[in-house]
Amino acid sequence: MTAPPRIPRRDALLSALGAAATLGAGLGAAPAHAQGSTATVHALLVGIDNYRLEPLRGCVNDLRLLERSIRPRAASVTLLVDREGTRANFLRAWREATGRCQRGDWFFFSFSGHGARKPEAIAGSEADGMDDFLVFWSFHPAEAPTEILLDNELEVMLAELGARGVTVVFVADCCHAGTMTRGVHPAAERQVRLRTLDGAFSVNALVASLASAPPAPRSPPPDALRHVHLFAGSVESLPVPEVTFEGRRHGALSVVFARALASGGAPPLRDLADQVVRGVRAMGDGRQNAEVTLGENATQGLFSRGATAPAAAAVTSLPVTSDVPVRLRVDGRVADDARLALDRLAGVQRVERPDEADLIWNPGSRQVVSGLGDLLADGVDSARIAASVARFRAVRRLRSLAMEQPPELRIERVDQSTRGLARTAVVQFHNAAHPAGAVLRLTADRLRHPFFVLFSLAGDGTVQFLYPGTDEPPRIETARPFVINDIIVKQPFGADHVVAVALSQPSTTLVRDLNALHERPDPQAAVAVLERALTGGAWQVGLLGIFTRPA
């Protein structure tokens, strides 16, 4: 077997780094201890799509997904869907749902919808000078400006629960505000939905309209919120895009959290936080960085009665996902022979509306763009569009695998002027498209198993086998990060997805079969080979999207 070249063979590797700002890199698995008894859980779930301003498509889907996962665990579940999600209804539902909680109980609260921000109402009350707020269904800056819930208000409500001895899990699948560092491709500008109202109204007009409203209360002291475990869809400065899961629009945070709940048991909160951060990054292709702030007793099990929980069990079985069609929009005219080829594509549903598409292909520019607005591949003609569709299906399956305790994958951009001094510039939350000539370093961390395999899928579907070569050890040291240096960004530009696999047992078959697929445009064959290898023991799969461009 001929060893493939070391790494500049993937001529374009790419994007971002990731962990939540408040979830430190040193976070590890909790020690194994006896599981505590299950506590009583009450839940309030809010999902709003049909806003008067800037409607969304995935928030009610989030609510239904979380409902299916939380209901078997909960003593009561209260739902507010679309038009039910007014401020008055929310405050009434909050009083009723929290009124059922006794000391020692857990309260689960989720909000999927718009979030926004405005200059702080109380000078000096916010570190960044801005009040974040949740947006209710009936909000309008002129007609219903008070249909919001300020962060100060919510903190006071949460503090009251803490004073009663109730532990809170808050899943906030909404934006606060901000801009993306990787632009949205023009072909998808009408398609990408962000869960923020920034730009939808004048902030000055909003502040003026709120002047007559009662002032927001001051935030309680930090120690009054030690009982709250916050899972936010994004760090405060970044937006939350809607993604596709099982053919439906969703927030990535809700999907990852619901899957963790559905897996059963009571995972340690620290393990759950770790899984959420990396799972959200995998689902959002680096556009989204979840933020997790854990309260006290972070080693206890989710919804347990205070005892320290055992570390999460190793993943040994494959997640089940439905094979939904790929929704393809053709943005431009195609020749008759190309149209015939498109009609013969298996597993593809042709759509006309940009906001319904998973992939957008422009036959004139020969570019393929994703539903999140990323350029996936250039130079795609009618003969190659089938490979781009196959790649999308393969990556969708890999995302499902990468939500099950993935390793941490990150990219550091090397400062070439100081390479001789071994100094690097680490770009936190950097999800820009990397230019030609950039030198990158790939790191795989938090590996639970020692047998390591690395490959990637190029934007045109080509499989790139990366590690191990014949002269490289298949077994690595899990106590320290695995690093590959000197990754050079070259053509072809677009997107790559790097796949890191950690196995508890050696798999010469996986290495052999991936090596045989090297430089072949057969991404689904690579995923099939991987899935066969995952049936023989414990495993982790990590996925990192890479986006590159000309200089």
Side-chain angles (χ1 to χ4, degrees):
M1 181 174 63
T2 302
R6 176 91 155 113
I7 259 274
R9 81 185 84 160
R10 174 68 303 243
D11 296 326
L13 289 189
L14 164 269
S15 127
L17 205 102
T22 53
L23 186 59
L27 183 62
H33 291 284
Q35 177 65 52
S37 61
T38 301
T40 301
V41 180
H42 298 279
L44 171 59
L45 315 181
V46 182
I48 306 173
D49 282 330
N50 192 23
Y51 280 95
R52 295 175 68 184
L53 294 174
E54 302 291 334
L56 296 167
R57 296 189 63 189
C59 298
V60 175
N61 291 337
D62 289 350
L63 178 145
R64 299 302 182 195
L65 190 64
L66 286 167
E67 179 192 9
R68 289 197 298 271
S69 298
I70 196 72
R71 195 170 285 281
R73 298 170 177 262
S76 70
V77 178
T78 303
L79 308 177
L80 292 178
V81 182
D82 274 340
R83 290 172 177 257
E84 298 169 351
T86 65
R87 177 180 170 92
N89 285 347
F90 172 78
L91 294 176
R92 179 168 54 252
W94 179 279
R95 288 192 299 269
E96 292 174 355
T98 60
R100 303 183 186 105
C101 295
Q102 304 295 320
R103 181 168 294 275
D105 288 352
W106 288 64
F107 182 63
F108 180 84
F109 169 45
S110 72
F111 184 92
S112 291
H114 276 307
R117 55 185 1 200
K118 67 177 186 64
E120 61 187 1
I122 301 174
S125 64
E126 302 288 346
D128 60 358
M130 301 293 288
D131 278 326
D132 299 316
F133 57 91
L134 304 180
V135 181
F136 294 116
W137 163 77
S138 49
F139 170 80
H140 189 280
E143 300 171 12
T146 59
E147 282 294 307
I148 63 175
L149 185 73
L150 292 169
D151 50 5
N152 307 59
E153 295 180 275
L154 180 58
E155 288 168 1
V156 170
M157 294 160 67
L158 293 170
E160 291 172 351
L161 285 172
R164 293 168 47 197
V166 177
T167 302
V168 177
V169 173
F170 177 22
V171 175
D173 208 341
C174 55
C175 316
H176 293 289
T179 58
M180 285 181 284
T181 59
R182 188 169 74 243
V184 174
H185 192 280
E189 283 180 342
R190 292 172 293 169
Q191 165 177 351
V192 179
R193 302 293 181 96
L194 300 178
R195 294 183 175 185
T196 179
L197 288 180
D198 285 5
F201 55 86
S202 164
V203 172
N204 290 333
L206 174 63
V207 173
S209 65
L210 287 172
S212 60
R218 287 192 174 274
S219 294
D223 61 357
L225 299 175
R226 291 179 299 176
H227 61 294
V228 178
H229 305 288
L230 170 65
F231 294 80
S234 174
V235 295
E236 192 170 41
S237 61
L238 293 175
V240 172
E242 293 199 324
V243 301
T244 299
F245 174 71
E246 303 288 14
R248 297 175 181 271
R249 297 294 191 212
H250 278 283
L253 173 64
S254 294
V255 172
V256 175
F257 202 96
R259 286 180 57 130
L261 288 178
S263 64
L269 285 161
R270 287 169 58 129
D271 282 4
L272 178 61
D274 203 19
Q275 180 178 346
V276 163
V277 167
R278 286 179 276 164
V280 167
R281 283 201 57 79
M283 281 205 74
D285 268 342
R287 284 191 178 273
Q288 186 176 348
N289 294 280
E291 183 173 34
V292 179
T293 304
L294 298 180
E296 59 188 359
N297 300 323
T299 57
Q300 73 185 74
L302 179 68
F303 303 143
S304 68
R305 202 172 282 278
T308 300
V315 178
T316 57
S317 60
L318 300 181
V320 177
T321 58
S322 59
D323 193 15
V324 298
V326 176
R327 293 172 294 196
L328 175 67
R329 168 179 162 81
V330 179
D331 191 9
R333 290 188 175 185
V334 293
D336 290 341
D337 57 340
R339 186 179 297 107
L340 182 62
L342 287 172
D343 292 340
R344 291 175 177 173
L345 283 178
V348 172
Q349 177 185 351
R350 294 279 300 278
V351 297
E352 295 299 325
R353 290 176 48 182
D355 62 352
E356 293 180 342
D358 297 315
L359 295 177
I360 300 174
W361 174 50
N362 187 306
S365 66
R366 301 199 302 172
Q367 293 182 333
V368 176
V369 178
S370 77
L372 286 176
D374 291 312
L375 176 64
L376 297 182
D378 211 344
V380 178
D381 56 20
S382 58
R384 297 184 179 183
I385 185 62
S388 292
V389 170
R391 180 190 182 279
F392 180 86
R393 292 164 67 92
V395 170
R396 184 168 61 188
R397 180 58 174 161
L398 290 167
R399 283 200 188 100
S400 181
L401 296 172
M403 285 189 280
E404 308 289 323
Q405 303 175 26
E408 179 183 313
L409 301 179
R410 60 181 183 266
I411 281 289
E412 298 167 342
R413 184 177 295 177
V414 178
D415 182 351
Q416 299 183 66
S417 65
T418 58
R419 289 179 66 195
L421 301 176
R423 293 171 58 190
T424 62
V426 179
V427 186
Q428 294 272 353
F429 307 124
H430 191 298
N431 59 359
H434 293 273
V439 181
L440 309 173
R441 179 172 69 182
L442 173 68
T443 300
D445 205 352
R446 303 193 195 177
L447 297 165
R448 295 171 179 256
H449 312 298
F451 295 98
F452 188 71
V453 175
L454 194 71
F455 68 97
S456 73
L457 303 180
D460 61 1
T462 300
V463 180
Q464 303 281 344
F465 179 64
L466 304 177
Y467 187 92
T470 54
D471 60 343
E472 295 169 326
R475 186 184 184 107
I476 64 172
E477 182 61 55
T478 58
R480 59 189 181 203
F482 178 87
V483 179
I484 295 179
N485 292 295
D486 294 329
I487 301 170
I488 311 298
V489 175
K490 300 178 181 177
Q491 289 183 320
F493 303 116
D496 290 67
H497 280 82
V498 174
V499 185
V501 186
L503 303 168
S504 61
Q505 301 175 13
S507 179
T508 56
T509 302
L510 176 62
V511 172
R512 180 199 67 204
D513 291 349
L514 286 176
N515 215 342
L517 291 169
H518 181 59
E519 297 294 354
R520 287 176 49 189
D522 200 346
Q524 289 185 283
V527 174
V529 164
L530 171 61
E531 291 191 326
R532 286 196 294 271
L534 300 184
T535 60
W539 51 269
Q540 290 173 283
V541 171
L543 183 69
L544 180 63
I546 300 177
F547 302 88
T548 59
R549 59 177 174 82

